[in-house]
Amino acid sequence: MDQTLAPIFDILRPYLGPITNNLPKPLTSLSVSLLGPACHQTLLLDLQPTTPCLKLAVSKTLGLAIISAASIVKVPQILKLVASKSPAGISFSSYALETLAYLISLAYNTRMGFPFSTYGETALIAAQNVVIAVLVLQFAGKGPLAASFVATLGAVGWALFREQMVGMDMLGTLMAGAGVLGVVSKVPQIWTVYQEGGTGQLSAFAVFNYLMGSLTRIFTTLQEVDDKVILYGFVAGFALNAVLAAQMVYYWNSPQTAGHAGEVGKKPEQIAMGSSTSAQLKVKSPTTRRRG
C-alpha cells in the first residue's frame, strides 16, 4: 500500500469495507471489467490501494469522464451554426480531415482490442463532426457536396472495420498516417481564424474542452496503452489545440468573433468568410471642409 494513504485507509476500512464488499452485482462486474480482478481486489475489497492500481483507477475515471464530455463537446458548435446559419470562421477541410483521422483511429483501437475507455470519445466526436461539416457545407450553398461527403465516410468506415478489406498491417500504417492527419487537421482551422482576424462561429466551449481532453488523453495513454504512435499523436494534437485556444483568447473581443458581433453593430452575415478585418472596419471619415 502507498504509505502516504495507509493511515487514511486504516481509519476508513472498518466503515467502507462492509459497503465495498457488498456492492450490487452489476457494479462489481463493472469494477472488475474496468480495473481487472487484481486491482478490484486491492482497491475495493481489501482497501489497500497500491500506486499502480491507483494510477489505473485515475486513468479509467478520466477516460470515462472524457467519453461523457465527448457526447456534448460539439453540441454548442452545432447550435451556433444552426442559430446563425453562417459557417464564418469554421474550416470544412479541418473537420473533414479530423473526422477521417478519428475514423481510422476508431477502427484501429477497436480491432487491436484496446480498452474502450482509452478511445471511446472518438466515435462520439466523429459523429458530431459529420453534423458540423454537413451544416457548414449546407450554409455555404454546397448541399450536394454534403451528401457526397457522408457517403464517402460511410464507405471508408465500412472498409476499415473489415479484415478482408483492410489488413492489420495496412491499418497500422494508416494509423500512423492518421496521427499526422489529426494534427494537420488543426492547421486549416488555425489559418482560417488568423486570416479572418476572429473566430467567427467557432465555439469556445468546444475549443477549450478539446484542449483539456487532449491533455488528459496523454495521461490515459501513458497508463493503459503501450503504443507510441497513439501517444505522439495526442502530444502533437495538444500542441496545436493550445495554439487554437490561444487564438480564441487573443481574438475574444475581435469584431470578427460572432459572440461579440452585436457589440460593434455587425450582423452575422457581415462576418464574411475569408474577409479581412481591416477591410470591414475601413470607413471613410466625413470631411470638415466647407464647400464653396
Side-chain angles (χ1 to χ4, degrees):
M1 177 188 290
D2 189 313
Q3 296 305 311
T4 306
L5 298 174
I8 299 174
F9 275 88
D10 286 342
I11 297 172
L12 295 177
R13 193 173 293 110
Y15 304 101
L16 294 180
I19 299 173
T20 58
N21 280 271
N22 292 282
L23 291 173
K25 208 164 190 177
L27 290 180
T28 300
S29 299
L30 178 62
S31 174
V32 172
S33 66
L34 289 174
L35 302 174
C39 283
H40 170 75
Q41 179 72 36
T42 301
L43 291 176
L44 291 180
L45 301 184
D46 299 338
L47 292 175
Q48 294 184 340
T50 60
T51 299
C53 285
L54 282 174
K55 286 184 176 180
L56 178 61
V58 170
S59 178
K60 292 293 187 182
T61 302
L62 289 174
L64 292 175
I66 291 174
I67 294 172
S68 299
S71 64
I72 61 166
V73 69
K74 296 294 185 77
V75 171
Q77 182 66 80
I78 293 170
L79 294 177
K80 285 191 74 172
L81 276 168
V82 172
S84 67
K85 293 183 171 51
S86 166
I90 301 175
S91 167
F92 167 76
S93 58
S94 180
Y95 275 93
L97 291 172
E98 184 182 62
T99 304
L100 179 58
Y102 276 167
L103 196 56
I104 295 170
S105 177
L106 182 62
Y108 178 80
N109 279 278
T110 301
R111 289 173 59 177
M112 286 292 289
F114 291 139
F116 184 75
S117 61
T118 64
Y119 69 88
E121 77 279 3
T122 58
L124 297 171
I125 295 176
Q128 293 169 80
N129 275 356
V130 172
V131 174
I132 292 170
V134 167
L135 288 174
V136 168
L137 290 173
Q138 188 68 36
F139 293 141
K142 300 176 180 178
L145 184 58
S148 300
F149 171 67
V150 173
T152 301
L153 281 180
V156 171
W158 179 82
L160 288 172
F161 279 89
R162 281 162 175 74
E163 176 70 31
Q164 60 270 33
M165 297 294 293
V166 179
M168 279 309 302
D169 289 341
M170 175 62 73
L171 189 57
T173 302
L174 290 174
M175 183 60 199
V180 176
L181 195 62
V183 173
V184 171
S185 71
K186 303 295 180 186
V187 176
Q189 184 62 73
I190 291 171
W191 177 250
T192 297
V193 171
Y194 171 76
Q195 190 178 43
E196 297 190 8
T199 56
Q201 300 299 328
L202 195 62
S203 166
F205 178 84
V207 169
F208 290 118
N209 271 273
Y210 247 47
L211 179 65
M212 296 307 299
S214 57
L215 178 61
T216 305
R217 268 296 170 230
I218 294 174
F219 174 79
T220 61
T221 302
L222 285 170
Q223 295 302 314
E224 300 185 60
V225 179
D226 185 18
D227 194 313
K228 299 300 182 186
V229 173
I230 294 177
L231 175 62
Y232 295 154
F234 281 128
V235 171
F238 171 76
L240 289 183
N241 280 333
V243 173
L244 198 53
Q247 285 184 312
M248 181 65 70
V249 173
Y250 183 78
Y251 291 116
W252 193 265
N253 293 313
S254 167
Q256 299 301 98
T257 297
H260 301 283
E263 298 173 7
V264 293
K266 283 182 175 290
K267 297 178 181 179
E269 300 82 43
Q270 293 174 309
I271 307 175
M273 298 174 63
S275 61
S276 65
T277 308
S278 58
Q280 294 277 357
L281 297 179
K282 189 175 181 181
V283 180
K284 186 177 179 181
S285 301
T287 180
T288 57
R289 288 182 58 191
R290 296 180 61 186
R291 297 183 180 179

